[in-house]
Structures are given as structure tokens and as C-alpha cells.
Amino acid sequence: MSKTPQNQSASQVPGNFERPLTTVDVVIFAVLDDQLHVLLVKRNRDTGEPFPNRWALPGGFVDIEVDATLEACALRKLKEKTGVVSPYLEQLGSWGGKSRDARGWSATHAYFALIAIDAGIKPVSGANAVDAQWMPIAGSGVREPLAFDHKDILAAAVERLRGKVEYTSLPAFLLPKEFTLSELQRAYEIVLDRKLEKSAFRTRVLATDLVVEVPRFREGANRPAQLYKLRSQVKPVYFQRTFKPAGE
Amino acid sequence: MSKTPQNQSASQVPGNFERPLTTVDVVIFAVLDDQLHVLLVKRNRDTGEPFPNRWALPGGFVDIEVDATLEACALRKLKEKTGVVSPYLEQLGSWGGKSRDARGWSATHAYFALIAIDAGIKPVSGANAVDAQWMPIAGSGVREPLAFDHKDILAAAVERLRGKVEYTSLPAFLLPKEFTLSELQRAYEIVLDRKLEKSAFRTRVLATDLVVEVPRFREGANRPAQLYKLRSQVKPVYFQRTFKPAGE
DNA sequence: AAAATAGTGTCTCTTAGACACTATTCC
DNA sequence: GGAATAGTGTCTAAGAGACACTATTTT
């Protein structure tokens, strides 16, 4: 209490070793079979590490030799697992405390990513399936028990995603570069887990300049559908919110 | 690249010392003189630490002997500086990298807090003024240069606050327990830095059940005003958003 | 009565949702 | 023509903003 905030923990100055463990975990979402999925990895068994054989979010210790920043670390882990290099990536939050990891006081920096499953994605079937797998989201998590506090982290990610979908263009990042408005609507419906009204959806999407037409159509056993792409591949669009300015 | 995520950094397993420095910083907002302010502290000079004599956000190293969780650490720092024990406290995000602190790879967990300036607040005037001070927010920061990447953190906090004000009850946490609707509107206007229309504001606030009447009035040189309190002192209210469900 | 702020009522305009309608392709 | 999905038009209801109005206190 009498220490000043500037140096209240002498235990952490360089040369002393009582620093928390620092990890990064990534919640990677994708749509498969018309369902929202999250990528999980299976932890090793019999290596003396906590939670052997349990499913966990992909992640691990920050490597201070390799990772220039936390975000770079998250991108590295994402790329290692999926091959994706430019996903939608957003910081989710951090979880830290003395009891979340038996090895000591630890803090994890959690990110969440949205990717589209297409030709470029590293498959996780076959030989890989034993240690990495896409799991369907049920409610605010998955059926399997998870290591550490990853259940909380996943629930926070699902909640964040669902919340933001209400007023942003996030589901577009779950689709390939070009998509139809029906496909976009379907992505919204999958994330929100409820149906949306077609007319209102299209009006709103087109009104916000979220997408631009490309001169191509999706062909099928019916009327071809106009293809669109995101106006910006990087930044999500925020729909108009409330409390408009008032006159003086 | 060939290491697995589960143990890709052997440098961090207990017994080895290459762990990032871990800090917590708190962006504490309050309204003074009808203006939004943030609490800053002045860093020591001539102690060999980085950024001597610079203004910085209150914070510092996690003390793994004292702090059970990151949030507990943030609450401790807030209490030390202001005396406030039950503020509105929200995690803002984390900033980490190899070059933000000359002492080594470091990661900070940033929180933001909203408090009401009233009788219980530790004064920072007089003798304290040299090392802690309320600074007015101008634009998305303060006029003074800040230590580390605290300018970025503060800007993110201001942006988060302004963004959330559009659709939540956050400004209520900048007021004392009991307040009038005019005072609440003023708090919104201060944070948003623009005027709001009285009738629409009142309709909306009352429609959301954000506040409940208390059987008292604010007396003045005019018609007394009904006093209200928050329905919940802890959780903010989220106003209705868009994309309502559609029929099947 | 004047000043000052609290609080309400009414009108308009925008937008979302409901829902039915038209359009264009394949078979 | 029928099936299937794309895409549009119209009506209604709710809510925000503009703005003027009434209400209640002190001086």
C-alpha cells in the first residue's frame, strides 16, 4: 500500500524472475455445413503439462524472440493452424490470475478471428484430425469440456460475435471474397441463430455501402444472383446507431 | 514453425526466465467542471526507470503475491489512487510488444473506470498535485505527452467510451448515486461533446427502465427536479438495437 | 411578475418489419 | 409450364428529432 504505482512490484524489474506466464489464445470461427464452428486443438498427453488430452483453444506462450507484438503472435498461431494470413482478427480481452494454470500466475491475451473456409484453408481432417478439429457451436460453447478457462473465453467470443453482428458487417468475413446477398443473409442468420426478413436485410445492407457489385453472377438451377464483395476487406462497417445530434 | 502450439516456447516453462513483463494500467474517467477528465500520475525522475518525469496512466506491475486476478490488480490500483472501491470497471484491451518498454518485452492489461467525483474521492490537489492530477480530455487525448504507448491506450479508452455512450447507460456511472434527468443528459452531452434533444432523451431513458424514481427532489432557484437512481448499480443497460427477429 | 429550469404534447420523417408481388433462370 | 431462388413494392408501426407548449419553484 505504501509503494507507489510506478514501482510497486520490485519483483518484476528485470533480473528478477517473478513474472506471470504470458500466453496468447485465438478463437477461430468459421461456417461449415451451415453451422458456426470453432477450431480446437487437443493437448498432449503424458508430457507433464496441465490438462493432458483435453480440447483447448489454439494458442500458447508468447515467444519473445519471434513475436514483435501480441497481435503478431496471434497471427502466427492462426497461420500455423489454418494457413490463413489475413483474417478478420480482433482482440477479445485478457484473462489472468494465480489459479488458472497450475504452473503459476498466468495471463492470456485472447483474440478472435473470422475466416472463410475455402480452397486455401489447411485441412484438419485425416491425419490432423486427432489434434485439431472444427467443433460446432452449441449455445455459447461446445459440448466438449475445455482446458484452463477456455470455456469462459469461448463464451465471451461467441457473445462478442453475436453482439456485434447486430450492428456490424462481421459475418461477411465468414464468406469468401465474392458472395451473394442471400449468402450474406444466411451468414447473419447462422451467427444470430434466427431468421431475418429478406427485404429489410437487403435494404439495410445496400443502404450502408457495405458491399459493392462485381460484374459476375452466381449461377444455379434458378435465377442467377448478383455477386458482391466487401467495400473494405479490413475494417468492418458499423451500422447507424442512435442518439443523432440535436440542434442547439 | 515446427514447434507445436502447446509448447512452442520452451523459454517460458517455469524455471526459465524469458517471460514478458506484465503490467496493468487504468484509465480513470470523471467529470469535473462540466468536462471529461482523466487521472494521470507523474513518473519519478532520476530512478533509472523509463520516461522519467512524464505523465502516465496509473498502473504498474502485477504483484503476483497480492493480486489474485488482473481485475483485482486494476481495482487495487484504482483504490490506491482515488479511494473508490466499487467503480464501473471494464477491460479495455491489452498492448504488448518488444519495443514498448526499454526494459524488455512487455504487455499491459488496460482497464477503464468511470467514477463520480463526490465527497468520498481522495483529493489530488495540494500536496498530491505534483504526482497525480485530473487532466481534461481534449479530442481523443490530453495535451501533455504521455509515457510508453499510453497515448494510444487513452485514445482507445476515449473512443470506447464515446462509442458505447451511443447505446448504453455508461454516463450514469459518472454521476453520484442520485441524479436528475437533466444531470444525466448533461453527462451524456459531456461525453459525446454535443447537445442532445431533451424530449427524445427523456423518452428514451424512461422507456428503457434504466432509472427508477427516488422520493426526493433536487431543489434550486426554480422548479424542483425529480431525483432518480440507477436500477442496477453494476451492469450498464444496453439500449435496443436493430435486426429484430423475423417470422419464419 | 420575471427568471429559470422541469417536464409534456404534437408533428414529421425515417426506418424496420410483414408480406405479397414480380423476375429470371433451369428442367 | 413448374420449380426454385432473386429481387422489388407497399403498407404499417415505432421511434427519433424538432419545437412549442405548460408547470413549478425562487426572487
Side-chain angles (χ1 to χ4, degrees):
Chain A
M1 278 302 183
S2 62
K3 308 172 197 170
T4 70
Q6 286 83 354
N7 63 354
Q8 55 201 319
S9 174
S11 65
Q12 272 208 340
V13 296
N16 190 309
F17 313 130
E18 302 211 43
R19 304 176 183 190
L21 294 160
T22 302
T23 57
V24 167
D25 292 306
V26 191
V27 184
I28 306 170
F29 289 114
V31 170
L32 279 86
D33 304 325
D34 254 24
Q35 261 199 296
L36 188 64
H37 284 69
V38 63
L39 186 65
L40 298 178
V41 297
K42 195 150 209 172
R43 294 180 59 79
N44 290 332
R45 51 183 305 176
D46 304 330
T47 58
E49 294 194 350
F51 298 101
N53 228 27
R54 273 280 182 102
W55 291 101
L57 296 169
F61 293 114
V62 170
D63 186 335
I64 68 174
E65 304 292 326
V66 173
D67 302 314
T69 64
L70 289 170
E71 182 167 309
C73 178
L75 283 170
R76 174 173 64 82
K77 288 166 195 303
L78 181 76
K79 187 184 169 200
E80 285 170 2
K81 278 289 149 193
T82 66
V84 172
V85 294
S86 58
Y88 174 78
L89 186 71
E90 169 179 326
Q91 202 180 61
L92 180 62
S94 54
W95 278 256
K98 68 173 143 194
S99 54
R100 61 181 296 279
D101 187 325
R103 292 168 293 188
W105 216 106
S106 80
T108 194
H109 303 262
Y111 284 78
F112 90 86
L114 304 179
I115 68 173
I117 297 292
D118 60 17
I121 305 297
K122 211 167 167 175
V124 293
S125 55
N128 275 348
V130 287
D131 66 354
Q133 198 165 311
W134 290 103
M135 298 282 191
I137 297 291
S140 60
V142 292
R143 298 194 181 284
E144 292 74 14
L146 298 182
F148 304 107
D149 47 7
H150 287 189
K151 183 187 177 193
D152 297 338
I153 296 173
L154 176 57
V158 172
E159 189 182 349
R160 170 85 65 95
L161 176 60
R162 293 229 169 96
K164 280 194 136 179
V165 164
E166 301 278 352
Y167 59 96
T168 69
S169 60
L170 284 195
F173 296 98
L174 294 165
L175 296 176
K177 286 262 187 303
E178 299 185 357
F179 48 82
T180 69
L181 291 188
S182 293
E183 289 163 359
L184 183 60
Q185 182 177 344
R186 189 78 197 106
Y188 273 84
E189 291 173 344
I190 288 168
V191 174
L192 288 172
D193 198 24
R194 65 173 198 257
K195 292 276 186 189
L196 296 176
E197 209 286 320
K198 181 168 62 165
S199 176
F201 179 81
R202 298 170 83 95
T203 304
R204 177 165 169 172
V205 166
L206 294 176
T208 54
D209 276 338
L210 164 62
V211 294
V212 285
E213 282 187 14
V214 297
R216 275 178 292 284
F217 289 82
R218 172 86 73 229
E219 313 281 346
N222 45 38
R223 176 173 172 179
Q226 180 70 54
L227 283 168
Y228 293 83
K229 64 173 182 180
L230 280 179
R231 183 172 294 275
S232 161
Q233 284 297 325
V234 195
K235 288 279 166 197
V237 170
Y238 282 70
F239 298 130
Q240 181 64 46
R241 288 186 295 207
T242 43
F243 275 152
K244 300 233 177 64
E248 259 289 11
Chain B
M1 277 305 179
S2 62
K3 307 172 197 171
T4 69
Q6 285 81 354
N7 62 356
Q8 58 201 313
S9 175
S11 65
Q12 273 208 342
V13 295
N16 188 310
F17 313 129
E18 302 211 43
R19 302 178 183 190
L21 295 159
T22 302
T23 58
V24 167
D25 293 306
V26 191
V27 184
I28 306 170
F29 290 114
V31 170
L32 280 89
D33 304 325
D34 254 23
Q35 263 198 294
L36 187 65
H37 284 69
V38 63
L39 186 64
L40 298 177
V41 297
K42 196 152 209 171
R43 292 180 60 78
N44 291 332
R45 53 185 302 175
D46 304 329
T47 58
E49 292 193 354
F51 297 102
N53 227 28
R54 275 278 184 103
W55 291 102
L57 296 170
F61 294 113
V62 170
D63 188 333
I64 68 173
E65 303 293 326
V66 173
D67 302 313
T69 64
L70 290 170
E71 183 167 310
C73 178
L75 282 170
R76 175 172 63 81
K77 288 167 195 302
L78 180 77
K79 187 183 170 199
E80 285 170 4
K81 277 291 150 189
T82 67
V84 172
V85 294
S86 59
Y88 175 78
L89 185 71
E90 169 178 326
Q91 202 181 58
L92 180 61
S94 55
W95 279 256
K98 69 172 142 195
S99 54
R100 61 181 296 277
D101 187 325
R103 291 167 293 189
W105 216 106
S106 79
T108 193
H109 302 261
Y111 284 77
F112 93 83
L114 304 178
I115 67 173
I117 297 292
D118 61 18
I121 304 297
K122 213 165 166 178
V124 293
S125 55
N128 277 348
V130 286
D131 67 354
Q133 199 165 310
W134 290 101
M135 298 283 192
I137 297 291
S140 61
V142 293
R143 298 192 181 286
E144 293 75 13
L146 299 183
F148 305 105
D149 48 7
H150 287 189
K151 184 187 176 193
D152 298 337
I153 296 172
L154 176 57
V158 172
E159 190 183 347
R160 170 86 65 97
L161 176 59
R162 293 228 170 98
K164 280 195 137 180
V165 163
E166 301 279 352
Y167 59 97
T168 69
S169 60
L170 284 194
F173 296 97
L174 294 165
L175 297 175
K177 286 261 188 304
E178 298 186 357
F179 49 83
T180 69
L181 290 188
S182 295
E183 289 162 359
L184 183 59
Q185 182 177 345
R186 189 80 196 104
Y188 273 83
E189 291 173 344
I190 289 168
V191 174
L192 288 171
D193 198 26
R194 67 172 197 258
K195 291 278 186 186
L196 296 176
E197 210 283 322
K198 180 169 62 166
S199 177
F201 179 82
R202 298 169 84 94
T203 304
R204 178 165 169 171
V205 166
L206 294 177
T208 55
D209 276 338
L210 164 64
V211 295
V212 284
E213 284 188 12
V214 296
R216 277 178 291 283
F217 288 83
R218 174 85 73 228
E219 314 279 346
N222 45 38
R223 176 174 171 177
Q226 180 70 54
L227 282 168
Y228 294 83
K229 65 174 179 179
L230 281 179
R231 182 172 294 274
S232 162
Q233 284 297 323
V234 194
K235 287 279 167 198
V237 169
Y238 282 69
F239 297 131
Q240 181 64 45
R241 289 185 293 205
T242 45
F243 275 152
K244 299 236 177 65
E248 263 287 18

